[in-house]
Amino acid sequence: MRLAVDGDTHLLVLTGAGVSAESGVPTFRDAKGLWEQHPIEQVATPQGFAADPGLVWRFYSQRRRRAREVSPNPGHLALAEAEGRMGERCLLVTQNIDGLHQRAGSRRVVEMHGSLFETRCARCDRPAFPDLEEHGPGAGGLPQCEACAAAGREGLLRPAVVWFGEMLDPTRMRQVEAFMGRAATGRFVFLAVGTSGVVYPAAGLVLEARAYGADTWLVNVEPTENRGAFHHFVQGPSGRVLPELFEWS
Ligand code: BV8
């Protein structure tokens, strides 16, 4: 089954961990939701960070290191090519924080759950900043916020990612909403790739897109919980399916 794209098509793509699986980045489901026997919901939460910031920094430092060692796969490259052909009629919203879409050449990317390579203060509202360093036990210890120190208070730095129970950046979500509104004036296609459709609000985007009249497509190695919300389902690994999926006219 091929996805026809013409001059009037607006394409909104949602990706999840499955898109990076063929680059060697384990998905949350493959890890059975665990990391070193810790439930990810325990590590990727503000409570987990407050309870053991060293453990959480070890988790994210390990993922920072891993993400820098791997490369984009043909699935990432196919989505970058689609943006190259469609320009402003294409937007990629990703749940992934590994930066592989940008390394594949995608520029119009909304990182709805933040980035592995940005750090911010857990206490003050200084903006997030680029950070490739590893932190935590055995890697320089727990990073402190200089702005807080200068103001005579304790401020721990944390990964600038969205944890479970945390709000998403409304600016980023408004960007997705605005794209849907523009897409609705043309032929709107919503494509979800490599996501289990479990985590909200990402898992709800397909229903929002349908409300804007989108034709909805799912590419995944197996049916997902929200598979019923999609008009089309193409089963297979994204690295093989995506390079063959689009029929350009
Ligand atoms: C929010 C960043 C408002 C960090 C992530 C109770 C209390 C509090 C909140 C909730 C609650 N109940 C529900 C919620 C809402 C909660 C939620 O949805 N929980 C779930 C578990 C039920 N959501 C939130 O908390 C969100 N915020 O709602 O704010 C609020 C605030 C307070 C209280 C209430 C509401 C924030 C969620 C963001 C969490 N951060 N990531 C980090 O990465 O460390 S989530 C993380 O897991 C990912 O980013 C992703 O979004 C999510 C799931 O991962 P997927 O990408 O889908 O990957 P997964 O492994 O699951 O699936 C991969 C798929 O690919 C599989 O289907 C597999 O078959 C397929 N696949 C594998 N290989 C391939 C493939 N497909 C194709 N090709 C392949 N080769």
Side-chain angles (χ1 to χ4, degrees):
M1 189 167 26
R2 307 214 39 209
L3 199 169
V5 180
D6 62 18
D8 188 34
T9 305
H10 291 69
L11 177 66
L12 179 61
V13 186
L14 169 67
T15 61
V19 162
S20 294
E22 289 158 88
S23 294
V25 181
T27 68
F28 291 83
R29 288 167 65 89
D30 294 347
K32 305 227 180 331
L34 288 176
W35 170 75
E36 293 189 0
Q37 307 321 313
H38 296 281
I40 288 184
E41 281 78 10
Q42 180 203 333
V43 181
T45 60
Q47 296 79 4
F49 184 72
D52 191 345
L55 176 81
V56 174
W57 265 118
R58 215 149 50 80
F59 174 53
Y60 284 95
S61 296
Q62 194 182 76
R63 289 172 67 192
R64 256 184 199 173
R65 183 169 61 249
R66 184 97 191 91
R68 294 175 67 191
E69 288 163 356
V70 300
S71 308
N73 65 62
H76 294 108
L77 296 167
L79 294 176
E81 191 213 342
E83 176 192 307
R85 286 170 175 262
M86 302 179 75
E88 297 202 339
R89 289 184 290 114
C90 178
L91 184 67
L92 171 58
V93 52
T94 186
Q95 301 171 84
N96 300 338
I97 62 175
D98 58 29
L100 288 174
H101 284 301
Q102 293 90 331
R103 286 177 54 200
S106 290
R107 291 290 166 270
R108 291 171 52 78
V109 182
V110 176
E111 292 179 308
M112 64 189 296
H113 291 162
S115 167
L116 200 44
F117 301 105
E118 286 192 347
T119 292
R120 70 176 176 86
C121 179
R123 178 153 183 194
C124 76
D125 57 3
R126 67 180 278 193
F129 57 91
D131 180 9
L132 301 178
E133 298 304 312
E134 295 180 32
H135 300 294
L142 295 176
Q144 305 289 332
C145 170
E146 302 83 15
C148 284
R153 60 175 183 254
E154 173 89 6
L156 262 185
L157 295 180
R158 55 164 279 182
V161 300
V162 181
W163 283 330
F164 288 98
E166 292 189 319
M167 302 299 285
L168 278 69
D169 176 346
T171 315
R172 296 185 187 191
M173 298 320 287
R174 274 197 297 274
Q175 202 184 334
V176 178
E177 200 77 33
F179 182 87
M180 288 195 194
R182 288 195 304 276
T185 62
R187 181 173 166 269
F188 180 14
V189 174
F190 176 83
L191 167 65
V193 191
T195 178
S196 56
V198 166
V199 174
Y200 286 83
L205 286 177
V206 58
L207 295 179
E208 280 183 57
R210 287 183 71 125
Y212 279 97
D215 184 33
T216 54
W217 290 68
L218 173 66
V219 171
N220 213 67
V221 283
E222 62 190 354
T224 61
E225 277 195 27
N226 64 345
R227 181 262 174 278
F230 291 87
H231 296 109
H232 314 279
F233 172 45
V234 182
Q235 185 156 1
S238 50
R240 177 170 57 73
V241 171
L242 289 178
E244 308 294 323
L245 180 67
F246 302 111
E247 189 167 11
W248 302 100
S249 64

